[in-house]
Amino acid sequence: DEIMAWWNAPPLEYNGEHTVAALSSALEQQRRLAELRQEWCEQGLPSVTARMGLTRGQVLAGNLGSAQRMKYGLVGDSVNLASRLKGLCKMYDVSCLVDDAVRSAPGVSEHFVLRPVDLVAVKGRTNATEVFELVAEQPSNTASTQTTSSAAKLAFSTDFAAIQERYRKGDFGGALAALDAFDCQWPGDRPASILRSRCEALLKSPQKGVWSPMVQLTEK
């Protein structure tokens, strides 16, 4: 089952930051689901997870259908991209992925921790989409209110971003060395495992000509 939700269509008052409202909603849903998941597991019920893909862009919004059957909905490339990002969550074993349009939206960098996960061309597209994981809310700059957990999540994102920078510059050996330290701190991370496999493959069999860090995906 899937749910499609949208913000700013029709335009509503979010103090100009409807993307911030969308990301806050995503984090709150994941927090509440984690609480319910624990309760359900204690009752012997299956573990339930939810994957989310968020984009920001122009769409056709309005009443869609015919006189016999009509609904308010959205149509557009951004809708398709959001669906692709949701599907990619399974590949990277994360809860929520967003694109660069979301990352660069007003208020996002001030409120949220995002880590660069990959540079891909999703199925049905040829242009690159930079994919980010929505990790957490930004920790407070006030030391007295900054929790250990939020500070750790910021370090988690910052360290992985530095590794991605090495990889995208073609420094595969440096990226591998940094991944060793990252894995000691945060073992079992799927994006780190994927990046390690790519670095090892490129060091073993260097590509001829101009190399691109973009990966063309063939599955949704």
Side-chain angles (χ1 to χ4, degrees), residues 106-117:
V108 170
S109 61
E110 293 85 359
H111 289 87
F112 303 99
V113 176
L114 302 173
R115 73 154 167 166
V117 169

Side-chain angles (χ1 to χ4, degrees), residues 82-103:
S83 177
R84 298 289 189 271
L85 293 177
K86 188 273 299 179
L88 285 177
C89 287
K90 184 176 182 180
M91 171 179 167
Y92 298 111
D93 193 23
V94 298
S95 298
C96 184
L97 291 174
V98 307
D99 66 349
D100 191 54
V102 169
R103 182 197 64 83

Side-chain angles (χ1 to χ4, degrees), residues 163 166-181 195-196 198-204:
I163 296 171
R166 286 177 178 268
Y167 169 73
R168 295 180 189 185
K169 288 180 178 179
D171 181 10
F172 308 127
L176 277 176
L179 280 168
D180 288 339
L195 198 57
R196 176 181 292 279
R198 292 178 186 171
C199 289
E200 290 173 346
L202 287 164
L203 284 173
K204 184 177 181 180

